[in-house]
Amino acid sequence: MLANARDTVTGLMARHSVPGLSVAVTDASRLLLAEGFGCRDLSDGQPVTPDTRFLWFSMSKIATATVAMRLAGTGQLDLDAPVHSLVPGYRSRSGPHPVIRQLLNHTAGAANPLPLRWVLPGDASDEDARAFADRILARHGRPTRRAGGAARYSNVGYLVLAKAIERVSGESLETHVRHAVLEPVGMTTTGYSVAGTDLATGYVRLPPPLVPLLRAVLPTGVVGERHGNQTALRPFRVAGSGYGGLIGSAVDAARLLRLHLADGAIDGRRVLAADRVRSMREIVTLGKPFDLGLGWFRRSDDRDAAQSFVEHWGTGLGYWNAMRLYPGLGLGIVVMANTTRPYDHAALMSAVLASVGG
C-alpha cells in the first residue's frame, strides 16, 4: 500500500478513535494486498494483522444471499415462490403475498426493529442463536408493509430468508453456509463461533456515566474493562446467523469478493452460476437509504458516483466494516475495524483504490 493511502488510513483512525483496522484488496484472481493497523486488543497492545477476525454483522447477508442464489441455481429454491410456502407465518394480511426474491432485496415488507440486544455470550451454541432468532421471528416475523414497494432495509427479512434456506436445504443455516460457501471458497478462518485465536476485541466509545447503562442492556459479562475513553466488549456472538452472525478476517472476506468478481468461480471451481452472481449486483430497486440488488446495495446518495460500485456494510456493537465491489475495475476492497462509531470508509476505500491503480 502506498504511503499516501497509509496516511489516509491512520489519519481516519486517529480522527475517529479507531483502535484497530484491517484492509484487504483483491481482483478476480488473487489477493493484491492485505494490511493491519492499530491494535486488536488495547489491554496488551496486540496488533491487528490481515488474519485478525472481526464480527461481520450485516456483511453476513452477502453470504446468506449467495447461498440463496446457489439454491436458486440448482432449482431447490424458487425466488418467485410465496415466502409463506416455506415459512408459513410470513404472509400478508392484505395485498400480495411477499415472495423469496423480495426478502433478498428488502421489499418483502419486513419490520426492522433496532437489534441492540440481539447478542449472546461468546460461548452460546448455534442452537442458542437459532432459538433467539425464533423468538425474534415470533414477535416480528410477519410483513408490516405492503410487499413490492420501495426497498426498506430489514434484518428480520434475512432471518426469514434463513428459515427458507433451512427448509429447502435440509440443514441448519450455519451448516449449509459452511458447506455451500465457506469451504468451497476457501474461507478457512470464518464461521459463526468466536472460538479460536486472533479475535479483535470490540470497543464502544462512551463517557463513563453511560457504561452502567450498557451493562444493563447487554448480557451479563459482555461489557469489559475501560481503556481510556473506550469500553471493551468480551467475546459475544450475534443472535441471528442469517442477518449478521459470521466472524472472520478481511482476507477471507476478500475471497468472497473474489468469488463475486469472478462471476461465481474461484480457484478453478464453480460455486454458483455466473448469471446468478451478476443479478445480485444489479441495483434495480430504489429505496432509502439504500438502493438494492439481491443482497448488494449502494447508498441512494451514491447513485452518481464516478466509479460504479456495489457494497455492503457490517456495523454493530463494537465493530464497523464494509466491503465493496468495483465490477468495472475488477477490484474489491474490504475494511474491518473494532469500533462502534462510523468512520469515512468511502474516503479510505478511495485512497486504497488509488494505491492499486484503480
Side-chain angles (χ1 to χ4, degrees):
M1 190 183 300
L2 296 179
N4 59 344
R6 288 193 181 92
D7 290 344
T8 298
V9 173
T10 56
L12 283 170
M13 291 177 68
R15 187 155 64 250
H16 296 283
S17 299
V18 178
L21 183 147
S22 184
V23 180
V25 184
T26 188
D27 63 15
S29 61
R30 63 188 178 93
L31 184 70
L32 299 179
L33 67 85
E35 192 164 341
F37 300 83
C39 295
R40 68 176 175 90
D41 192 322
L42 294 174
S43 67
D44 58 12
Q46 286 293 316
V48 169
T49 74
D51 295 316
T52 296
R53 296 183 304 133
F54 296 78
L55 272 68
W56 282 34
F57 280 90
S58 284
M59 288 200 320
S60 306
K61 290 184 176 73
I62 295 300
T64 303
T66 299
V67 299
M69 297 302 287
R70 189 172 187 270
L71 289 166
T74 60
Q76 294 171 267
L77 181 64
D78 181 357
L79 297 186
D80 296 312
V83 176
H84 67 77
S85 67
L86 295 173
V87 187
Y90 199 85
R91 60 173 67 232
S92 293
R93 294 172 180 166
S94 62
H97 290 300
V99 299
I100 298 295
R101 186 184 307 274
Q102 292 169 328
L103 294 172
L104 283 158
N105 67 14
H106 299 275
T107 62
N112 194 37
L114 185 67
L116 177 62
R117 304 182 73 174
W118 297 4
V119 299
L120 294 167
D123 59 357
S125 66
D126 290 347
E127 290 74 18
D128 294 332
R130 285 195 292 274
F132 197 111
D134 286 344
R135 292 194 292 273
I136 295 169
L137 288 175
R139 183 173 182 182
H140 302 289
R142 61 193 61 83
T144 59
R145 303 182 309 279
R146 184 181 177 88
R152 293 191 184 179
Y153 189 85
S154 171
N155 291 314
V156 170
Y158 269 69
L159 292 180
V160 177
L161 179 61
K163 287 292 183 184
I165 290 169
E166 291 179 337
R167 177 71 182 273
V168 300
S169 71
E171 298 180 305
S172 70
L173 181 83
E174 297 87 357
T175 298
H176 190 67
V177 169
R178 185 171 67 250
H179 290 164
V181 174
L182 302 183
E183 290 175 354
V185 176
M187 298 170 65
T188 58
T189 68
T190 298
Y192 295 95
S193 171
V194 300
T197 60
D198 211 16
L199 177 68
T201 299
Y203 288 96
V204 182
R205 187 153 54 95
L206 282 176
L210 294 183
V211 175
L213 178 61
L214 187 66
R215 292 186 190 277
V217 167
L218 297 180
T220 301
V222 169
V223 178
E225 64 281 358
R226 295 274 292 181
H227 298 279
N229 63 355
Q230 304 275 8
T231 298
L233 302 171
R234 298 190 181 99
F236 67 93
R237 63 179 294 177
V238 173
S241 301
Y243 91 90
L246 282 174
I247 302 164
S249 67
V251 168
D252 266 11
R255 289 191 69 84
L256 185 58
L257 292 178
R258 180 176 155 193
L259 176 76
H260 281 263
L261 287 168
D263 288 342
I266 187 167
D267 296 336
R269 179 176 186 176
R270 179 151 298 280
V271 178
L272 69 166
D275 61 336
R276 297 286 178 180
V277 179
R278 289 193 290 266
S279 70
M280 290 178 67
R281 58 182 186 250
E282 293 174 1
I283 305 296
V284 296
T285 307
L286 302 185
K288 283 285 188 179
F290 305 120
D291 299 334
L292 272 297
L294 298 177
W296 295 105
F297 64 60
R298 186 166 53 237
R299 287 191 311 168
S300 51
D301 292 345
D302 290 327
R303 288 173 189 167
D304 299 322
Q307 294 283 7
S308 180
F309 63 84
V310 294
E311 64 182 346
H312 210 293
W313 304 352
T315 67
L317 189 70
Y319 302 87
W320 211 108
N321 318 307
M323 56 184 180
R324 181 178 286 189
L325 290 176
Y326 295 88
L329 300 174
L331 292 171
I333 303 174
V334 58
V335 56
M336 308 178 87
N338 55 348
T339 180
T340 303
R341 297 191 182 189
Y343 48 93
D344 192 349
H345 79 284
L348 186 156
M349 288 187 173
S350 294
V352 172
L353 192 66
S355 76
V356 294

